[in-house]
Structures are given as C-alpha cells and as structure tokens.
Amino acid sequence: QVQLVESGGGSVQSGGSLRLSCTASGYTYGSYSMGWFRQAPGKEREGIASIDNDGSISYADSVKGRFTISQDNAKNTLYLQMNSLKPEDTSMYYCTADPRKKLPWLPAYWGQGTQVTVSS
C-alpha cells in the first residue's frame, strides 16, 4: 500500500530554515502528483506546495518566494525547503500524494505529519 513518511520537522527561530523530507513507497514514484499541506490547531488546512505528475509546480501565496518544493525520483523522496521562517508558519506539515495528474484539495494519501515550530 502507499506509504508516506515525513521527517525533518523541529523548532527554529524566526528567520531560520528547515528542510522536510517525505519518502514514498507502494507505487511508481513520479506517476502521482505530490505536495505539502499544513494545519495548525484551530485553523483550516492549507495546501502550500505541489508538484503535478508532469512536473508542474505550484505554491500558495503565503509561502511563495520562501519555500521550495523538489523531488529526487531516484530516492523516491519529496522535499520542502523552508527559508525565512515566520512564527505563522508554525503548524503540522503533511506530505500527500494522489494518482491524479494534478494534486486535488483532498489528496488520497497522507503521511503522519511532522511538526514545525517557529519562535519569534
């Protein structure tokens, strides 16, 4: 079955950087659209970055210019490089995947999540 395992979360000061990783298994990597969502307590889920299965990349306005999504097909791994972090980036971050070409609002597969905490 499809499995997504995130790593790389942690605590950082405002202005710092973190890189999240997501290792995927259970399907032919690269054939699914993938992306990152986040959700903080009391807030709505937010899709922040995605890669379609044709390689097209999209970002939410809230992270554009600060976050970079990338992948290493040889390692079956999706990344999220997060720079210039702000306290409002504090959230649980989830790796997602979906067999559709373009990542939908509710992807079929989710990782367990990794916590990112940014202090001011």
Side-chain angles (χ1 to χ4, degrees):
Q1 71 274 22
V2 174
Q3 286 191 318
L4 305 171
V5 180
E6 302 103 332
S7 61
S11 297
V12 65
Q13 289 194 326
S14 182
S17 298
L18 285 173
R19 188 177 79 158
L20 306 183
S21 299
C22 171
T23 302
S25 61
Y27 67 99
T28 302
Y29 191 86
S31 65
Y32 283 16
S33 56
M34 296 191 74
W36 294 92
F37 282 70
R38 66 185 182 186
Q39 187 166 24
K43 294 188 177 181
E44 291 189 355
R45 182 179 70 241
E46 179 184 21
I48 57 173
S50 65
I51 297 181
D52 295 345
N53 66 5
D54 65 358
S56 300
I57 290 175
S58 300
Y59 295 100
D61 288 344
S62 58
V63 305
K64 199 173 294 183
R66 300 187 299 122
F67 290 10
T68 302
I69 189 171
S70 63
Q71 60 186 349
D72 185 336
N73 287 4
K75 295 182 178 180
N76 289 6
T77 300
L78 181 74
Y79 301 100
L80 184 69
Q81 178 66 44
M82 305 185 293
N83 298 330
S84 302
L85 283 161
K86 305 174 183 180
E88 51 263 45
D89 294 317
T90 295
S91 190
M92 185 71 79
Y93 285 70
Y94 297 92
C95 174
T96 66
D98 194 279
R100 285 167 280 191
K101 174 184 180 299
K102 186 172 179 60
L103 194 70
W105 170 241
L106 188 60
Y109 302 102
W110 293 69
Q112 81 285 358
T114 187
Q115 178 68 38
V116 172
T117 302
V118 184
S119 58
S120 57

